[in-house]
Structures are given as structure tokens and as C-alpha cells.
Amino acid sequence: MNISGVRGSIVSFLFSLWRVVVCAIPGGRVLAFGAGPSHINKILVINLDRQQRRWARVTREISRFKTREGVSLALITERFSAVDARDGRAVAATLDVDPIYYMRDQVFVQPDPRLSQSFGSDEPVRMTKQEVAVARSHIEVWKSVAAGAEDYVLVLEDDVWFKPGARRKLQRGWAAALYRMRDAEGGAELLYFSFDDAGGTACRLESCEHLFRPLRGLWFLSGYVLSRTGARKLLRAMPVVGPVDLWMNYRYAELRVLALASPVVLQRRDVDSDNLYSILPFLARAGIVDSESISTRPTGKVSKLVLAWDRSAERDSIAMALSMLGLRVKVCDSNFETDASRGLDDLFGDFDAVVNAQLSDELIGAVIVSQDILLVFDSDGATCQIVADHIPASRIHVLSQSNGARDRQWRELCKFLEIPEPAEPFPVGSPKAWGIFRNGFVASSGNGGECGRLRRLVMDDSPWILPERSGWTPRSSNGESAILHVRNLSVGVDEPSRCPPDFRDLTETFPGNLASFSKEGIIHRSDCTLITLTKSGEGSGRYRSGAMSSVRNYLHGRFEVELKPARGAGLVTGFFLHRHSPRQEIDIEFPGDCTHEMMVNVFFNPGDELSSLDFGYRGSPCRIDLGFDAALDFHVYAIEWRPGLITWSVDGVVVHERVSWDPTPIPHLEMALHANLWAPRSEELAGRVCPSSLPASAVIRRVRVLP
């Protein structure tokens, strides 16, 4: 049982119940609202067309209060249709928003030294589709305010509630704002009712009991009053570069901006946000956040089984789409047995969806009778027509193939499956020849477990890993690994402390790491690279170490390293392939408390390049008993990554291999090659760090790659 999840659900329920009770109690008149040039004349609520429940809740919140004339605030409130991130055309490139911003912009708002230490000021960051949609929603509101007749408009997002005491604070804050700006034509142009101080670093000028003037450092635009002149100034300053709340910090010098001494409009605790934040992976790598909450899970759960047919000769598009929705997907073709003659239980097994199944007459009858199976077809409607002719249309969906169909495919498919639509585009998918979703796993006879050489560890609860009931156990192999002509990547240099040309040193960290990577933690010598973990009082981590990654990315290949890992409890030496968006990874790691073992791991998340699915922090690991102490001498360790197959070898002998769905699909997107020495927060992996054993070093003598 996930106790934290249960507690979160209880808190959410109690909050919802409390707000229902509170909203039944009149809140009184708020003198800041009313007719005339010195009052807030209108409220605009930004609300998605598909989020009518949020609109109803925020309307109840607003209806508690009245204007100075005694009119309900609901009567001066209008719903403003938000731009939907799930609409590809709505978040396409426009002149209004520039989706690329830079680390210096984040540091301007949140001047955390860990960001400056980890990234250069010119490090580019690309906004997520959700951030683009939010920015464009606010821009459209500004256009409405600028063209409207109202002097002041309160802009609210639809997931807000009013803090206890809000009426009094709003009245006093508004009066103080009018007084503060009495000599300025038009008064305040922007007044924050809701904000978050950027890590306690916000610069507050001219503070008083009720207000302050911000210089920089405020996040969120959940609730703010905007004047007509302020809206026009914002529009003249466009394009919005980066997330809109970040960009707004650069406008403080151009507008007359004030903020209440403390926020009175807060975001609800019973609303699950589907926003994704582009800066979160960077904050995690800098050690500023350390939470699994940054991982992105599928949007919903399909309640029924799915049979799909995709006659495309090139790509597993439908299979990839169903996988992105959180289904375990198995693809059948002439090269793989489908067990189609044995029954529905055998056909689906551990999977939620089966693509291109060859159905026997018995299975066709079972599918027709079953009420728990949905059918998805591509444009070839004749596929399994006998099935389609005997079941209701409500159980059949045909993917649109007309011009512009990709913009509609998610919407129509998700409506059919009764789940939310993802923000990512409908996927092109991986090449069919790679067999990403073919089920190559065969239940082990126990050879790995019986000999004791391979030991399965706890895996993620992920829709892209076989469930516990599958009986998956890691498989060893005694086959020789063929070594072809390879490219030597230099890890030695002529000049000490200079990074080799094929690699770059990393100055960052990642969730779960007690050590911060810095250039001081890695030394490049003429014959090797030395990575050393030491005690450090700087930053959020207690330790300092080093890491490097390849300059280029690779799609398949053989990756060898000749190394001697670090010894010591709480230390892990890593050699691995890794990528973000979506997260995929193939690992070799050496736990420092047990250096006669090697841990191998695979992380898989589906989608095309830039898909936001990054779920899971355990992956599908297992440990291999090497039969020797790796910390005593150099050995050659290799990852061979091919379409449909990954093998791990030691000194040329294959010690472990995985095929598709064994227990994950095989990663299918380009990855960079990494090496590091780190200290996990969890003691489960390698024990607890013993400071007296530091410094400790891992030594890399050679890296070779066969593309």
C-alpha cells in the first residue's frame, strides 16, 4: 500500500469537503470590486473547455462575495476559453511566444547558486506544450482586456480558492495600491493577488503592511489584476519568451507593478495539475529538487482490453500510441507466435493491448461475446471484418486517415477509450523491423536463479515493465561476444584537467544523488580518467564527485569501458547510456559495498523524441555475481545495444541478455554515453556512505564504441 498516496487522497477529500461548506457561507462585500475607474470592474476566469467541473468550483468560490454595490461577483465574471495544449495547432509556433529561453532567465528570477554552478548562462531550455498553452491563454486575455471598456480586470486561473481573510486583505490592499499610485496616471497596472516567492529570494521594494513593489522573484499568475494600459504594455513587449510567469519578471521595470503583502488567492489542493514544467529536469540535475514528483505518468487508465490492427509496413504507430496511454502492448506478426488458438487469456496474458493478432475461429467468437474488449482499426476497415460485423459500433474505433488526421487521432482515440488526451503529438512510432513491442520474453526455467549468479531486484511499478505475476527472472548466457572493428574514444589527454575531445565534463546532479558533480571531481590524465568522490560542504549535497558524457548521441552500438570501480559503502560507479524526453537508459553500475557484483538495468518510456513520459526511478534492475572483485584490477565491461536485443558482457563473455518485453521493451531512441561516481540517497543500493573512507576513486582506462 502506498501510504503517502492514501494520505494525499484523504487530504484532498477533506479539502474539497471544507470548500463545499465554506462556499455555502456568504463572504460579504468586497469594496475593491464595483463600477467606476477606481474599482475592479470585471473577472475573467481562464478555463479549458474540457474542464467544466473546475469552472463550476471556481464559480462557487467567486459567488460568495459581492461588489461594493451588493451585486454578486458571479455577475461580473466571465469564462475565458483557455488554449489547450492537446491541440497541436493551438500550440504551434506563433509570433506571440518564443518557446526557447535560457538558464540566465531562470537564474534572474531564482538566483540559486547551484544553477549557476551546474549550467552555463546560455544553456537553452525549451518550454513544454503546456507552458506554451498557458502563455498563449494569458496573452489572449491581455488582448481582451486591452480592447475592453473596463479599467481593471481580475484574471484568475480555474484551480484557485480564496484564502480565509481574503475579503479584508483585498480591500486594504486595493486601497493601499490606489494610494500608492495616486500620482501616477491610471494607477497600478498590475497587482498580484496570488504568487509564490522564488525560493525566498524575491526582491521586495517599498514594502508596507499591505503591499510591496517586486523587483524580481515572483512565480505564478493564478490571480492578478490587470489594467487596460497594463495589458497594452504587455502586448507591446511581446513575444513572451519562456514561461509567462518568468517573462513577467522582466516587465516589472516597464509596468507599475505591486503585490499584496501575502497571497490571498491560492491553488486548490484537490486538483491534479496536468502541467509540465520545462525547468524541473534542470532543477533536479542541479540538486534543487529531489522528488519523484517530477516524473510524468500516463494520463489515465483504460478500463478494457484492446485489440488493434495496424497495416502500416513501416512503423509501429498504433502500438506506440497505446503504450503512451499506459497500456502494456504486444505486437504480433509472422515472426512471432501469437498463441491465437488457445484462448483470450493466453492471447492477452500480461498485456492490456494486442496489435495485429491472427485470430482463430474460436478467438473470433470469444471476442464477439466479450464485453471487455475494444477494437481499434487503421484505415484498413476490412481487417477482421467478421468481428466488426458482429459487435456494436460502440466497441469499434477506426483511426482517421484524412488530411490533418494526426491532429485528431489522439482526440478521437482517447474519447473512444474514455481517458484524457496526452499533450504530445500522436506518435510516428519506432520502425517495425526493430520489434520494440514484440514479446520475446520466455519464462525462465530458473537457470539464472538456480546458479545464483543473477539476482532480480525490486522493479518500478510501471506500465512498461512486466508485472510481478509474469515470473520474470534475469537470464545469463555463456555465449562469446563478437568484437568487430571499433572506434577508440579517448579518455586520456595531453593536458591535465582538460576534458577529452569525445566527452564533456558534467557540472550537475540528479534526484537521489548525495554528490554534486563538478570539474574538480574528475581528472583527465594522459593514460586514464580519474573520478573521485570527496566530502564537500558546498551546495545541497554533502559530497563532490565527477561525471562525463559523450559529445554525440548514439542509436544502437557496442559500448565498452575498461575500468576499475570505486570501493566503499554508499558509492556507485556508473557506465551507461541515457536520454531525457522520454527517459530511456541502459546501465552498468558497481555498488561500492559489494564490488564482486555488477548491477545492470533498463529504463523504458514510450514516445517519439521530446515525449514527456519519464516515469520510474528503479527501472528493471538485476545483480550479477562477477566471480571476482572488480575493484582490484581493470576489466572490460560492455553494453551491446541492437534492435530487439541488449547484451552485457565482461571480458568478452556475455553475462546477461534481454529481448523485447524482457521485462521491458528495448529503448529505441538516441542516447548519450555516460560515466560517473555517485552516492545514492537510498541505502538500499550500496549502503551508507562512510566519510572516513573518502576520498574514493574510480579509474577509466579506455572507452570504445562500435556504432
Side-chain angles (χ1 to χ4, degrees), residues 515-541:
S516 295
F517 299 138
S518 68
K519 291 186 177 180
E520 292 77 15
I522 186 166
I523 298 175
H524 303 284
R525 296 176 176 169
S526 60
D527 59 343
C528 68
T529 288
L530 191 70
I531 306 178
T532 303
L533 191 141
T534 60
K535 291 183 286 186
S536 172
E538 300 178 359
S540 61

PDB file of all heavy atoms in Angstrom, residues 515-541:
ATOM      1  N   ALA A 515      25.819  13.479  -4.052  1.00  0.00           N
ATOM      2  CA  ALA A 515      27.018  14.157  -4.539  1.00  0.00           C
ATOM      3  C   ALA A 515      26.655  15.110  -5.667  1.00  0.00           C
ATOM      4  O   ALA A 515      25.798  14.818  -6.501  1.00  0.00           O
ATOM      5  CB  ALA A 515      28.048  13.144  -5.032  1.00  0.00           C
ATOM      6  N   SER A 516      27.313  16.258  -5.699  1.00  0.00           N
ATOM      7  CA  SER A 516      27.198  17.195  -6.805  1.00  0.00           C
ATOM      8  C   SER A 516      28.407  17.019  -7.712  1.00  0.00           C
ATOM      9  O   SER A 516      29.543  16.970  -7.238  1.00  0.00           O
ATOM     10  CB  SER A 516      27.141  18.637  -6.290  1.00  0.00           C
ATOM     11  OG  SER A 516      25.974  18.853  -5.545  1.00  0.00           O
ATOM     12  N   PHE A 517      28.160  16.910  -9.008  1.00  0.00           N
ATOM     13  CA  PHE A 517      29.252  16.739  -9.954  1.00  0.00           C
ATOM     14  C   PHE A 517      29.887  18.097 -10.252  1.00  0.00           C
ATOM     15  O   PHE A 517      29.202  19.090 -10.491  1.00  0.00           O
ATOM     16  CB  PHE A 517      28.752  16.107 -11.253  1.00  0.00           C
ATOM     17  CG  PHE A 517      28.159  14.740 -11.069  1.00  0.00           C
ATOM     18  CD1 PHE A 517      26.990  14.376 -11.727  1.00  0.00           C
ATOM     19  CD2 PHE A 517      28.761  13.811 -10.235  1.00  0.00           C
ATOM     20  CE1 PHE A 517      26.446  13.109 -11.569  1.00  0.00           C
ATOM     21  CE2 PHE A 517      28.227  12.546 -10.062  1.00  0.00           C
ATOM     22  CZ  PHE A 517      27.065  12.198 -10.730  1.00  0.00           C
ATOM     23  N   SER A 518      31.206  18.127 -10.258  1.00  0.00           N
ATOM     24  CA  SER A 518      31.940  19.355 -10.563  1.00  0.00           C
ATOM     25  C   SER A 518      33.196  18.981 -11.333  1.00  0.00           C
ATOM     26  O   SER A 518      33.625  17.819 -11.357  1.00  0.00           O
ATOM     27  CB  SER A 518      32.314  20.101  -9.278  1.00  0.00           C
ATOM     28  OG  SER A 518      33.266  19.363  -8.534  1.00  0.00           O
ATOM     29  N   LYS A 519      33.822  19.979 -11.946  1.00  0.00           N
ATOM     30  CA  LYS A 519      35.045  19.727 -12.703  1.00  0.00           C
ATOM     31  C   LYS A 519      36.188  19.312 -11.784  1.00  0.00           C
ATOM     32  O   LYS A 519      37.114  18.632 -12.223  1.00  0.00           O
ATOM     33  CB  LYS A 519      35.413  20.973 -13.499  1.00  0.00           C
ATOM     34  CG  LYS A 519      34.423  21.258 -14.630  1.00  0.00           C
ATOM     35  CD  LYS A 519      34.877  22.421 -15.502  1.00  0.00           C
ATOM     36  CE  LYS A 519      33.899  22.626 -16.650  1.00  0.00           C
ATOM     37  NZ  LYS A 519      34.305  23.745 -17.534  1.00  0.00           N
ATOM     38  N   GLU A 520      36.096  19.727 -10.507  1.00  0.00           N
ATOM     39  CA  GLU A 520      37.148  19.329  -9.559  1.00  0.00           C
ATOM     40  C   GLU A 520      37.082  17.858  -9.214  1.00  0.00           C
ATOM     41  O   GLU A 520      38.054  17.294  -8.692  1.00  0.00           O
ATOM     42  CB  GLU A 520      37.037  20.165  -8.280  1.00  0.00           C
ATOM     43  CG  GLU A 520      37.363  21.643  -8.442  1.00  0.00           C
ATOM     44  CD  GLU A 520      36.240  22.428  -9.091  1.00  0.00           C
ATOM     45  OE1 GLU A 520      35.101  21.903  -9.156  1.00  0.00           O
ATOM     46  OE2 GLU A 520      36.497  23.563  -9.545  1.00  0.00           O
ATOM     47  N   GLY A 521      35.939  17.204  -9.504  1.00  0.00           N
ATOM     48  CA  GLY A 521      35.790  15.795  -9.157  1.00  0.00           C
ATOM     49  C   GLY A 521      36.282  14.833 -10.215  1.00  0.00           C
ATOM     50  O   GLY A 521      36.219  13.618 -10.016  1.00  0.00           O
ATOM     51  N   ILE A 522      36.759  15.355 -11.359  1.00  0.00           N
ATOM     52  CA  ILE A 522      37.218  14.469 -12.429  1.00  0.00           C
ATOM     53  C   ILE A 522      38.535  15.001 -12.984  1.00  0.00           C
ATOM     54  O   ILE A 522      38.674  16.187 -13.270  1.00  0.00           O
ATOM     55  CB  ILE A 522      36.129  14.355 -13.533  1.00  0.00           C
ATOM     56  CG1 ILE A 522      36.521  13.331 -14.587  1.00  0.00           C
ATOM     57  CG2 ILE A 522      35.782  15.697 -14.143  1.00  0.00           C
ATOM     58  CD1 ILE A 522      35.358  12.927 -15.490  1.00  0.00           C
ATOM     59  N   ILE A 523      39.509  14.126 -13.077  1.00  0.00           N
ATOM     60  CA  ILE A 523      40.838  14.495 -13.556  1.00  0.00           C
ATOM     61  C   ILE A 523      41.177  13.620 -14.753  1.00  0.00           C
ATOM     62  O   ILE A 523      41.083  12.389 -14.694  1.00  0.00           O
ATOM     63  CB  ILE A 523      41.905  14.311 -12.459  1.00  0.00           C
ATOM     64  CG1 ILE A 523      41.590  15.234 -11.264  1.00  0.00           C
ATOM     65  CG2 ILE A 523      43.300  14.605 -13.003  1.00  0.00           C
ATOM     66  CD1 ILE A 523      42.522  15.020 -10.090  1.00  0.00           C
ATOM     67  N   HIS A 524      41.568  14.258 -15.846  1.00  0.00           N
ATOM     68  CA  HIS A 524      41.927  13.549 -17.068  1.00  0.00           C
ATOM     69  C   HIS A 524      43.450  13.518 -17.188  1.00  0.00           C
ATOM     70  O   HIS A 524      44.091  14.558 -17.337  1.00  0.00           O
ATOM     71  CB  HIS A 524      41.301  14.230 -18.282  1.00  0.00           C
ATOM     72  CG  HIS A 524      39.808  14.344 -18.194  1.00  0.00           C
ATOM     73  ND1 HIS A 524      38.969  13.270 -18.406  1.00  0.00           N
ATOM     74  CD2 HIS A 524      38.998  15.396 -17.891  1.00  0.00           C
ATOM     75  CE1 HIS A 524      37.713  13.658 -18.266  1.00  0.00           C
ATOM     76  NE2 HIS A 524      37.710  14.946 -17.940  1.00  0.00           N
ATOM     77  N   ARG A 525      44.016  12.315 -17.129  1.00  0.00           N
ATOM     78  CA  ARG A 525      45.462  12.137 -17.264  1.00  0.00           C
ATOM     79  C   ARG A 525      45.782  11.599 -18.663  1.00  0.00           C
ATOM     80  O   ARG A 525      44.882  11.285 -19.436  1.00  0.00           O
ATOM     81  CB  ARG A 525      45.972  11.187 -16.186  1.00  0.00           C
ATOM     82  CG  ARG A 525      45.797  11.731 -14.760  1.00  0.00           C
ATOM     83  CD  ARG A 525      46.225  10.700 -13.735  1.00  0.00           C
ATOM     84  NE  ARG A 525      46.153  11.239 -12.372  1.00  0.00           N
ATOM     85  CZ  ARG A 525      46.269  10.506 -11.276  1.00  0.00           C
ATOM     86  NH1 ARG A 525      46.460   9.194 -11.372  1.00  0.00           N
ATOM     87  NH2 ARG A 525      46.184  11.081 -10.092  1.00  0.00           N
ATOM     88  N   SER A 526      47.048  11.473 -18.940  1.00  0.00           N
ATOM     89  CA  SER A 526      47.455  11.021 -20.272  1.00  0.00           C
ATOM     90  C   SER A 526      47.052   9.577 -20.535  1.00  0.00           C
ATOM     91  O   SER A 526      46.846   9.183 -21.685  1.00  0.00           O
ATOM     92  CB  SER A 526      48.966  11.174 -20.432  1.00  0.00           C
ATOM     93  OG  SER A 526      49.648  10.398 -19.453  1.00  0.00           O
ATOM     94  N   ASP A 527      46.909   8.774 -19.475  1.00  0.00           N
ATOM     95  CA  ASP A 527      46.623   7.351 -19.669  1.00  0.00           C
ATOM     96  C   ASP A 527      45.267   6.917 -19.109  1.00  0.00           C
ATOM     97  O   ASP A 527      44.879   5.753 -19.254  1.00  0.00           O
ATOM     98  CB  ASP A 527      47.717   6.501 -19.022  1.00  0.00           C
ATOM     99  CG  ASP A 527      47.846   6.777 -17.524  1.00  0.00           C
ATOM    100  OD1 ASP A 527      47.341   7.825 -17.057  1.00  0.00           O
ATOM    101  OD2 ASP A 527      48.458   5.947 -16.828  1.00  0.00           O
ATOM    102  N   CYS A 528      44.540   7.810 -18.446  1.00  0.00           N
ATOM    103  CA  CYS A 528      43.278   7.402 -17.830  1.00  0.00           C
ATOM    104  C   CYS A 528      42.498   8.635 -17.391  1.00  0.00           C
ATOM    105  O   CYS A 528      42.997   9.766 -17.427  1.00  0.00           O
ATOM    106  CB  CYS A 528      43.521   6.487 -16.624  1.00  0.00           C
ATOM    107  SG  CYS A 528      44.308   7.330 -15.228  1.00  0.00           S
ATOM    108  N   THR A 529      41.278   8.391 -16.949  1.00  0.00           N
ATOM    109  CA  THR A 529      40.450   9.413 -16.301  1.00  0.00           C
ATOM    110  C   THR A 529      40.152   8.946 -14.890  1.00  0.00           C
ATOM    111  O   THR A 529      39.736   7.801 -14.676  1.00  0.00           O
ATOM    112  CB  THR A 529      39.140   9.639 -17.076  1.00  0.00           C
ATOM    113  OG1 THR A 529      39.441  10.325 -18.294  1.00  0.00           O
ATOM    114  CG2 THR A 529      38.157  10.474 -16.282  1.00  0.00           C
ATOM    115  N   LEU A 530      40.333   9.840 -13.931  1.00  0.00           N
ATOM    116  CA  LEU A 530      40.150   9.540 -12.519  1.00  0.00           C
ATOM    117  C   LEU A 530      38.939  10.317 -12.010  1.00  0.00           C
ATOM    118  O   LEU A 530      38.901  11.552 -12.101  1.00  0.00           O
ATOM    119  CB  LEU A 530      41.401   9.941 -11.742  1.00  0.00           C
ATOM    120  CG  LEU A 530      41.514   9.488 -10.287  1.00  0.00           C
ATOM    121  CD1 LEU A 530      41.739   7.989 -10.216  1.00  0.00           C
ATOM    122  CD2 LEU A 530      42.667  10.230  -9.603  1.00  0.00           C
ATOM    123  N   ILE A 531      37.939   9.612 -11.500  1.00  0.00           N
ATOM    124  CA  ILE A 531      36.758  10.249 -10.918  1.00  0.00           C
ATOM    125  C   ILE A 531      36.802  10.006  -9.409  1.00  0.00           C
ATOM    126  O   ILE A 531      36.840   8.862  -8.960  1.00  0.00           O
ATOM    127  CB  ILE A 531      35.454   9.688 -11.505  1.00  0.00           C
ATOM    128  CG1 ILE A 531      35.458   9.778 -13.037  1.00  0.00           C
ATOM    129  CG2 ILE A 531      34.256  10.417 -10.939  1.00  0.00           C
ATOM    130  CD1 ILE A 531      34.222   9.185 -13.687  1.00  0.00           C
ATOM    131  N   THR A 532      36.788  11.096  -8.637  1.00  0.00           N
ATOM    132  CA  THR A 532      36.990  10.987  -7.191  1.00  0.00           C
ATOM    133  C   THR A 532      35.836  11.631  -6.443  1.00  0.00           C
ATOM    134  O   THR A 532      35.435  12.762  -6.740  1.00  0.00           O
ATOM    135  CB  THR A 532      38.302  11.667  -6.771  1.00  0.00           C
ATOM    136  OG1 THR A 532      39.378  11.070  -7.494  1.00  0.00           O
ATOM    137  CG2 THR A 532      38.551  11.492  -5.279  1.00  0.00           C
ATOM    138  N   LEU A 533      35.304  10.899  -5.459  1.00  0.00           N
ATOM    139  CA  LEU A 533      34.251  11.412  -4.597  1.00  0.00           C
ATOM    140  C   LEU A 533      34.857  11.799  -3.259  1.00  0.00           C
ATOM    141  O   LEU A 533      35.546  10.999  -2.619  1.00  0.00           O
ATOM    142  CB  LEU A 533      33.145  10.365  -4.416  1.00  0.00           C
ATOM    143  CG  LEU A 533      31.863  10.856  -3.743  1.00  0.00           C
ATOM    144  CD1 LEU A 533      30.636  10.221  -4.398  1.00  0.00           C
ATOM    145  CD2 LEU A 533      31.842  10.566  -2.247  1.00  0.00           C
ATOM    146  N   THR A 534      34.598  13.042  -2.845  1.00  0.00           N
ATOM    147  CA  THR A 534      35.148  13.573  -1.602  1.00  0.00           C
ATOM    148  C   THR A 534      34.050  14.244  -0.799  1.00  0.00           C
ATOM    149  O   THR A 534      32.956  14.511  -1.292  1.00  0.00           O
ATOM    150  CB  THR A 534      36.251  14.612  -1.890  1.00  0.00           C
ATOM    151  OG1 THR A 534      35.687  15.690  -2.657  1.00  0.00           O
ATOM    152  CG2 THR A 534      37.405  14.002  -2.659  1.00  0.00           C
ATOM    153  N   LYS A 535      34.354  14.550   0.447  1.00  0.00           N
ATOM    154  CA  LYS A 535      33.448  15.330   1.287  1.00  0.00           C
ATOM    155  C   LYS A 535      33.435  16.773   0.803  1.00  0.00           C
ATOM    156  O   LYS A 535      34.442  17.296   0.355  1.00  0.00           O
ATOM    157  CB  LYS A 535      33.881  15.270   2.754  1.00  0.00           C
ATOM    158  CG  LYS A 535      33.687  13.897   3.389  1.00  0.00           C
ATOM    159  CD  LYS A 535      34.050  13.901   4.858  1.00  0.00           C
ATOM    160  CE  LYS A 535      35.558  13.950   5.062  1.00  0.00           C
ATOM    161  NZ  LYS A 535      35.935  13.808   6.477  1.00  0.00           N
ATOM    162  N   SER A 536      32.273  17.396   0.907  1.00  0.00           N
ATOM    163  CA  SER A 536      32.157  18.778   0.459  1.00  0.00           C
ATOM    164  C   SER A 536      31.094  19.470   1.273  1.00  0.00           C
ATOM    165  O   SER A 536      30.043  18.886   1.568  1.00  0.00           O
ATOM    166  CB  SER A 536      31.796  18.847  -1.026  1.00  0.00           C
ATOM    167  OG  SER A 536      31.515  20.161  -1.415  1.00  0.00           O
ATOM    168  N   GLY A 537      31.334  20.724   1.617  1.00  0.00           N
ATOM    169  CA  GLY A 537      30.354  21.495   2.361  1.00  0.00           C
ATOM    170  C   GLY A 537      29.539  22.409   1.476  1.00  0.00           C
ATOM    171  O   GLY A 537      28.753  23.212   1.962  1.00  0.00           O
ATOM    172  N   GLU A 538      29.730  22.313   0.160  1.00  0.00           N
ATOM    173  CA  GLU A 538      29.064  23.223  -0.754  1.00  0.00           C
ATOM    174  C   GLU A 538      27.796  22.596  -1.321  1.00  0.00           C
ATOM    175  O   GLU A 538      27.691  21.387  -1.452  1.00  0.00           O
ATOM    176  CB  GLU A 538      29.995  23.587  -1.913  1.00  0.00           C
ATOM    177  CG  GLU A 538      31.280  24.268  -1.462  1.00  0.00           C
ATOM    178  CD  GLU A 538      32.200  24.561  -2.634  1.00  0.00           C
ATOM    179  OE1 GLU A 538      31.810  24.210  -3.764  1.00  0.00           O
ATOM    180  OE2 GLU A 538      33.280  25.116  -2.412  1.00  0.00           O
ATOM    181  N   GLY A 539      26.865  23.473  -1.683  1.00  0.00           N
ATOM    182  CA  GLY A 539      25.657  23.009  -2.350  1.00  0.00           C
ATOM    183  C   GLY A 539      24.772  22.210  -1.429  1.00  0.00           C
ATOM    184  O   GLY A 539      24.953  22.151  -0.211  1.00  0.00           O
ATOM    185  N   SER A 540      23.760  21.550  -2.015  1.00  0.00           N
ATOM    186  CA  SER A 540      22.807  20.779  -1.225  1.00  0.00           C
ATOM    187  C   SER A 540      23.344  19.401  -0.869  1.00  0.00           C
ATOM    188  O   SER A 540      22.920  18.809   0.113  1.00  0.00           O
ATOM    189  CB  SER A 540      21.502  20.623  -2.012  1.00  0.00           C
ATOM    190  OG  SER A 540      21.738  19.924  -3.211  1.00  0.00           O
ATOM    191  N   GLY A 541      24.264  18.869  -1.680  1.00  0.00           N
ATOM    192  CA  GLY A 541      24.832  17.565  -1.379  1.00  0.00           C
ATOM    193  C   GLY A 541      25.980  17.682  -0.411  1.00  0.00           C
ATOM    194  O   GLY A 541      26.622  18.729  -0.279  1.00  0.00           O
TER     195      GLY A 541
END
